[in-house]
Amino acid sequence: MAGIYIHIPFCKQACYYCDFHFSTSGKLREEMVASIISELSLRREYLETETVETIYFGGGTPSLLSPEELSQIIEAIYKNFTLIPQPEITLEANPDDLSFTYLKGLHQIGINRLSIGIQSFFEKDLKLLHRAHDREQAFNAVENARKAGFNNLNLDLIYAMPQSSNEEWEENLALMMKLRPAHLSAYALTIEEKTVFGNWYRKGKIRPVDEDKAADQLEILINTTANHGYEHYEVSNFCLPGLESKHNSSYWLQKKYLGIGPGAHSYNHQERHFNIANNAKYVKAIKEGQLPLDGEVLSREDLINEYIMTRLRTKWGCDLGHLQNHLNFDLSREHGAYLQKLEKDHFLEKQGDVLFLTSKGKMIADQITEHLFLM
């Protein structure tokens, strides 16, 4: 099984923390949709004989496209690839785009999962992040989505924000638990270099929260979601039983995926490919029948490190047997003493040949995986 990711590179305005590829100009919108459809045809062999089980519209802001435009892209996917019956089709959306009429249109074209970027229920946070919506629009978006027939909702939150207290984070989570989405993604704010926040950081106008406060808020997140019946199945992702994101899980389970659109990445077990992150150059190349992408062949070391990094973050764990049998790498021999210490200190559990991070371990997942990497 494989997934297809479609990158829609347009936004109403730039969120100050975001370093994904996007443009606030919609000048190339019509040509972009046509180019995405053309790229799907040009790359129809990339997944070889794999059946597609998920489609994911990310960005940017995919909810800026009309249901008609999105439908054209979905039709092109069905034309060029073999899909399972009723694939998971996710659309990332901003609350301010989600009128009831628009949502009904999305539901009618087969989109069956929404990922809504709420980020915070506090107006001061939304203004700091330079989000286009307010608190009321966030609640209305969820209500409209459910009325339109969407039951599989992911809602996004950001924690560890400057000038945001633990008490405010607890209130954010309390409001989220009242909404009770099928899925919750929560990410610590990171200050990326090529963003407004990155510029502010260089000028001393903003500072990231200290690690202890970020850890406190992650602990609050883990405990709150567990108390409300959510499964912590990946470091930043929580779901009600059986409602994991199938598409995002495919990344963590090393399944093949095809990325379409400017800035999109693809993976086929041996190589990773990445499209040019420039709208005009992307459209021009596709019009000329060229694929505007670059790539790299993944070394054994790359494959080992990616397996450790992705699997250890999840409920599926890191299978020592897989590393040994498929990649000829004995993690226990390389890091036996470190693994034993992690287990003794309750950061890690071992069941058979599979390693799992505990809730305590998930709080320092990046530190643990980096230590285990093959350099």
Side-chain angles (χ1 to χ4, degrees), residues 118-136:
I118 290 177
Q119 316 310 1
S120 176
F121 294 106
F122 285 91
E123 300 290 357
K124 70 179 181 67
D125 294 339
L126 297 173
K127 289 177 181 177
L128 175 67
L129 297 170
H130 202 231
R131 297 291 292 167
H133 73 277
D134 58 27
R135 173 190 176 111
E136 183 179 359

Side-chain angles (χ1 to χ4, degrees), residues 26-179:
K27 186 171 63 173
L28 289 173
R29 174 170 162 166
E30 186 176 335
E31 292 174 279
M32 183 62 65
V33 172
S35 297
I36 285 171
I37 290 170
S38 294
E39 190 190 354
L40 284 164
S41 178
L42 289 170
R43 303 187 72 185
R44 63 191 305 171
E45 304 299 329
Y46 186 81
L47 297 175
E48 298 177 318
T49 60
E50 299 278 351
T51 300
V52 173
E53 62 177 344
T54 64
I55 300 168
Y56 193 102
F57 288 93
T61 310
S63 54
L64 289 179
L65 294 193
S66 69
E68 291 75 22
E69 290 169 319
L70 293 165
S71 181
Q72 290 172 28
I73 296 171
I74 293 171
E75 288 174 10
I77 293 172
Y78 273 91
K79 179 180 178 182
N80 289 287
F81 299 89
T82 301
L83 286 87
I84 65 168
Q86 299 181 320
E88 177 190 87
I89 307 180
T90 303
L91 181 93
E92 288 184 352
N94 282 343
D96 44 301
D97 296 326
L98 298 181
S99 69
F100 177 73
T101 300
Y102 180 72
L103 285 159
K104 284 295 288 184
L106 296 181
H107 196 262
Q108 288 168 0
I109 65 170
I111 291 170
N112 51 32
R113 185 175 183 272
L114 292 178
S115 181
I116 305 175
I118 290 177
Q119 316 310 1
S120 176
F121 294 106
F122 285 91
E123 300 290 357
K124 70 179 181 67
D125 294 339
L126 297 173
K127 289 177 181 177
L128 175 67
L129 297 170
H130 202 231
R131 297 291 292 167
H133 73 277
D134 58 27
R135 173 190 176 111
E136 183 179 359
Q137 287 173 313
F139 289 120
N140 289 341
V142 175
E143 182 180 0
N144 286 337
R146 286 178 167 148
K147 285 182 179 177
F150 288 98
N151 297 315
N152 196 355
L153 297 180
N154 170 64
L155 304 181
D156 283 349
L157 285 178
I158 295 176
Y159 64 95
M161 284 195 281
Q163 301 176 345
S164 181
S165 67
N166 289 353
E167 290 73 24
E168 288 171 328
W169 177 233
E170 288 173 347
E171 186 174 341
N172 259 326
L173 288 172
L175 291 168
M176 182 62 73
M177 294 301 101
K178 286 183 180 179
L179 293 175

Side-chain angles (χ1 to χ4, degrees), residues 221-241:
L221 169 66
I222 291 171
N223 292 336
T224 301
T225 50
N227 290 339
H228 286 80
Y230 284 82
E231 181 181 15
H232 190 188
Y233 76 100
E234 194 274 340
V235 168
S236 300
N237 289 274
F238 308 78
C239 68
L240 294 176

Side-chain angles (χ1 to χ4, degrees), residues 223-262:
N223 292 336
T224 301
T225 50
N227 290 339
H228 286 80
Y230 284 82
E231 181 181 15
H232 190 188
Y233 76 100
E234 194 274 340
V235 168
S236 300
N237 289 274
F238 308 78
C239 68
L240 294 176
L243 293 173
E244 299 91 348
S245 166
K246 293 179 183 176
H247 184 85
N248 289 340
S249 294
S250 71
Y251 299 149
W252 304 318
L253 295 174
Q254 293 80 46
K255 295 183 181 181
K256 291 182 182 180
Y257 57 87
L258 170 63
I260 300 291

